[in-house]
Amino acid sequence: MPKKPTFSPANTLVVLDFETSGLSPNQGDRAIEIGAVLIEKGVITDRFSELMNPGFKISAFIEDYTGISNQMLKHAAPNHEVMARFADFIGDHHLVAHNAAFDQRFLDAEFAHIGHQYAGQFGCSLLVARRLYPLATNHQLATLVRYKQIPNDGTFHRALADAQMTGHLWLTMLDDLQRDFAISTPPFSLLQTLAKKAKADVPKFLRQYGK
């Protein structure tokens, strides 16, 4: 599968979120819901949202945490069907998630079940937010939504709602890069690099980039 060029703009990509039966696909946990938004040139242009039946009952804790019941999953399509449709949705776009390491593990595991590989690379809105918003109380999605006054309907821990809020957070961070550092339409690779920078080095790094 060819690699997506690293100079792709950071304002065109897919933001995704999984709800899962547990914390680790290595322990047999599976995705139970996928939500995603397609952002093109800074505008959300499409959405994807489906429950998926993992083939076993989820715990009462997960039912309470997500609001997704076993009864709801009973009538959902199996994982392999949903993930095949999601593969078509993301195409070769880069991907973003909040705490991306978690979602990437599940995406890789679910795609492995259907023998699919994706061309895009991952970015993490949580790591970028830690660099751009060091004064935030913490960098959980709900906290950042309040901190940056991002529109929401109060729904959390459902995949599409979280993906939409993460998408708005990502676009807010791009706006702040332009406002504070005169960085307009940065490449996706800049956000990936920023996520790995020591926090103390961030202002100097961005000022030099914006010159």
Side-chain angles (χ1 to χ4, degrees):
M1 182 79 65
K3 290 185 177 180
K4 185 82 170 170
T6 56
F7 55 79
S8 297
N11 66 357
T12 297
L13 40 72
V14 169
V15 182
L16 63 92
D17 182 81
F18 279 109
E19 300 303 330
T20 66
S21 68
L23 295 177
S24 174
N26 293 331
Q27 301 297 320
D29 292 313
R30 299 293 300 269
I32 58 173
E33 186 178 41
I34 178 67
V37 294
L38 173 62
I39 298 175
E40 296 180 291
K41 297 181 179 180
V43 177
I44 294 176
T45 59
D46 202 359
R47 293 166 174 82
F48 186 99
S49 178
E50 285 200 49
L51 294 168
M52 56 188 107
N53 186 339
F56 54 82
K57 288 189 175 181
I58 60 173
S59 68
F61 172 81
I62 294 297
E63 284 189 305
D64 291 341
Y65 183 74
T66 63
I68 299 170
S69 69
N70 280 296
Q71 186 65 22
M72 293 162 65
L73 295 178
K74 180 179 178 181
H75 300 288
N79 287 44
H80 68 273
E81 291 183 9
V82 175
M83 293 308 299
R85 288 192 284 272
F86 187 58
D88 290 337
F89 179 82
I90 65 175
D92 64 353
H93 285 97
H94 288 316
L95 308 170
V96 165
H98 203 69
N99 189 20
F102 175 86
D103 294 278
Q104 186 173 6
R105 282 197 300 272
F106 276 93
L107 184 67
D108 289 346
E110 292 297 340
F111 275 164
H113 282 292
I114 63 172
H116 179 73
Q117 292 182 321
Y118 53 93
Q121 300 175 22
F122 253 93
C124 181
S125 56
L126 185 152
L127 294 180
V128 175
R130 282 178 178 168
R131 274 70 182 173
L132 291 183
Y133 308 133
L135 299 182
T137 305
N138 60 59
H139 295 87
Q140 296 174 2
L141 182 59
T143 302
L144 291 169
V145 165
R146 291 192 297 270
Y147 183 73
K148 297 302 296 183
Q149 298 182 321
I150 291 170
N152 70 93
D153 64 1
T155 300
F156 291 89
H157 306 304
R158 288 300 301 267
L160 181 59
D162 285 358
Q164 290 185 140
M165 286 183 286
T166 301
H168 287 299
L169 172 64
W170 186 262
L171 294 175
T172 297
M173 293 192 292
L174 295 183
D175 288 342
D176 288 346
L177 284 174
Q178 181 167 6
R179 183 196 65 197
D180 297 337
F181 299 99
I183 299 174
S184 179
T185 317
F188 184 75
S189 57
L190 174 67
L191 279 294
Q192 289 179 303
T193 300
L194 178 60
K196 299 175 184 177
K197 284 286 180 182
K199 294 177 185 178
D201 296 337
V202 166
K204 180 180 179 182
F205 168 72
L206 291 176
R207 283 194 298 268
Q208 289 179 335
Y209 189 92
K211 288 182 178 179

